[in-house]
Amino acid sequence: MKNCISIIIFILFVKCTFAQAVSKSLFLVVDRRIDSIIQENGNSNVKIKYYHVNKRKNWNLSLYHNHISNSVYNNYKYSLPKEMITELKRKGNLEDIQLFMAKLNDFTIKELGQFFSKHYSYYYEYLEKNRKKTFKRYNIFIVFKADLDKTFVPCYEVALLKSRIEVQ
């Protein structure tokens, strides 16, 4: 009986952990053949890059998944069960990257920043040499279309960089 209760508590903990990790997250589905995605296999710290340029509104958006050995700035890679991906799609957290970027095209760079801050950002706190430090992270992940049928779907957390194309 004691083991049964422990197992139930463990299952509830795991379900809550997954729910917290993805509840306010955005999962962007990328097709390697169609989308402007760059994957690095060499010694580069940046492993996945995606660029979107809006010349009309004079801004550029970069999403990148990076990994630097022993760094707090690393982006995470999650493997979520296929059933959870289905649930994310049902709730509107899983979107095709082209359709999502099209929704952003009418935003100014200021509106773009406000949108991502309001919906997908959080502050990550950590200790470095006994000093509390904070930096902004985003709950945005890239998922490859080819991986959607796997039992566990790899999801790559990305950092976000907004910039102007031409300095005004």
Side-chain angles (χ1 to χ4, degrees):
M1 182 67 174
K2 210 175 196 181
N3 287 342
C4 185
I5 292 172
S6 296
I7 291 171
I8 290 171
I9 291 172
F10 175 75
I11 290 171
L12 289 173
F13 173 76
V14 169
K15 279 192 146 201
C16 288
T17 302
F18 272 123
Q20 289 175 348
V22 298
S23 62
K24 289 196 74 176
S25 298
L26 173 64
F27 293 80
L28 296 170
V29 178
V30 173
D31 187 333
R32 287 184 177 108
R33 294 172 292 140
I34 299 170
D35 298 316
S36 57
I37 192 87
I38 301 167
Q39 273 191 278
E40 300 286 336
N41 293 326
N43 294 334
S44 172
N45 292 332
V46 177
K47 303 300 181 193
I48 300 170
K49 299 178 206 171
Y50 177 85
Y51 298 103
H52 180 76
V53 178
N54 185 329
K55 290 181 182 176
R56 187 172 53 90
K57 294 287 187 169
N58 190 33
W59 56 259
N60 167 14
L61 181 70
S62 302
L63 302 173
Y64 57 93
H65 173 82
N66 66 340
H67 183 82
I68 303 165
S69 297
N70 302 318
S71 174
V72 296
Y73 298 103
N74 284 336
N75 295 123
Y76 298 105
K77 177 183 171 188
Y78 293 119
S79 291
L80 296 178
K82 184 179 178 178
E83 296 80 14
M84 183 159 258
I85 297 297
T86 304
E87 185 65 14
L88 288 169
K89 185 175 185 178
R90 187 185 69 75
K91 290 185 173 183
N93 294 67
L94 183 75
E95 291 197 48
D96 178 86
I97 199 162
Q98 294 294 332
L99 297 174
F100 181 77
M101 291 300 166
K103 293 178 193 176
L104 303 177
N105 279 334
D106 287 332
F107 288 179
T108 65
I109 193 165
K110 182 179 178 182
E111 293 167 334
L112 186 73
Q114 291 170 342
F115 172 79
F116 281 109
S117 289
K118 179 180 178 184
H119 296 287
Y120 304 110
S121 72
Y122 67 97
Y123 288 96
Y124 179 75
E125 296 179 344
Y126 63 98
L127 287 175
E128 186 177 284
K129 298 181 183 176
N130 295 327
R131 291 188 138 193
K132 181 180 160 186
K133 298 214 173 182
T134 304
F135 72 95
K136 194 176 205 175
R137 293 183 82 115
Y138 294 90
N139 283 325
I140 303 172
F141 298 85
I142 285 181
V143 178
F144 291 104
K145 187 175 184 178
D147 294 338
L148 290 175
D149 289 330
K150 292 182 176 179
T151 304
F152 289 94
V153 179
C155 305
Y156 303 89
E157 179 190 27
V158 292
L160 179 121
L161 178 63
K162 308 167 297 296
S163 59
R164 292 205 178 278
I165 298 170
E166 297 175 15
V167 180
Q168 294 181 346

